[in-house]
Amino acid sequence: MAATYSQTMNKMINDTMLKQEVLIDYCDRSGLESGEFGTYYKLEYEDYQVDDSLVELISNKINGFGITIVFGSWCSDSEQQVPRFYKILDRAGFDDDQLKIIAVNRQKHTEQIPIDNLKIELVPTFIMYKKDKEIGRIVETPNETLEEDLWQIVK
């Protein structure tokens, strides 16, 4: 499920209502770490205390999966949950080639990427795939913790 990016990576657009630049379409870690979103990303990533016992369990299962993250760089839940999720993936040794990151505007739309089939209602949404079939998702905030919710999906 390696992502192929024909569009510009980490594209920024001006949100006139928010009066700020926001990410749109495909992103990668460097996009997450830049701009205003990057300030939140770095703080949350550094401060989040990972549940290492669950991450160890997750690391034994997760590399057969593809993951799509749909988020809004303007969204406080995304500012909190995306860096935490990324830290869990890093600790679990997840292969970034199996990860797609898609930024949406406040209407949950992109400019160039068709995402209607993903049925995004709230952001962030973390979608896990096995053999290109969706097997679970975490929407907006976890039910328990990100580690516990992710473990329930991949186990």
Side-chain angles (χ1 to χ4, degrees):
M1 182 176 150
T4 55
Y5 303 113
S6 58
Q7 291 85 12
T8 303
M9 185 71 69
N10 303 319
K11 181 179 177 185
M12 300 287 282
I13 59 169
N14 186 43
D15 184 309
T16 54
M17 188 166 185
L18 293 174
K19 296 182 174 68
Q20 72 181 45
E21 295 280 304
V22 297
L23 287 161
I24 195 77
D25 296 332
Y26 287 121
C27 298
D28 61 14
R29 189 186 304 255
S30 67
L32 297 176
E33 293 175 340
S34 65
E36 189 170 331
F37 189 81
T39 303
Y40 297 102
Y41 180 92
K42 291 171 188 169
L43 285 171
E44 283 295 333
Y45 188 96
E46 290 170 12
D47 289 346
Y48 186 61
Q49 299 299 310
V50 174
D51 181 335
D52 288 322
S53 61
L54 277 173
V55 169
E56 186 175 338
L57 294 172
I58 291 165
S59 69
N60 293 324
K61 297 277 188 180
I62 198 165
N63 278 317
F65 289 83
I67 298 175
T68 297
I69 300 173
V70 181
F71 80 106
S73 63
W74 43 267
C75 165
S76 60
D77 287 321
S78 292
E79 290 167 350
Q80 182 181 64
Q81 302 301 331
V82 171
R84 292 175 176 187
F85 193 81
Y86 227 117
K87 187 170 186 175
I88 293 164
L89 294 181
D90 286 348
R91 288 272 179 93
F94 187 74
D95 181 358
D96 277 358
D97 289 343
Q98 299 302 310
L99 180 65
K100 277 190 207 175
I101 307 170
I102 302 170
V104 295
N105 63 20
R106 285 179 298 111
Q107 292 75 38
K108 320 289 186 307
H109 295 111
T110 59
E111 285 192 337
Q112 298 183 7
I113 304 165
I115 63 165
D116 289 344
N117 61 322
L118 299 179
K119 297 177 177 38
I120 301 299
E121 295 179 15
L122 300 168
V123 291
T125 297
F126 306 95
I127 308 168
M128 275 55 76
Y129 297 91
K130 186 83 170 180
K131 297 181 182 173
D132 295 327
K133 179 177 173 18
E134 181 179 331
I135 59 150
R137 59 174 64 196
I138 300 168
V139 178
E140 196 174 29
T141 56
N143 292 324
E144 299 294 328
T145 65
L146 285 169
E147 294 93 330
E148 181 62 39
D149 288 11
L150 185 55
W151 172 241
Q152 291 303 318
I153 293 168
V154 301
K155 73 178 184 178

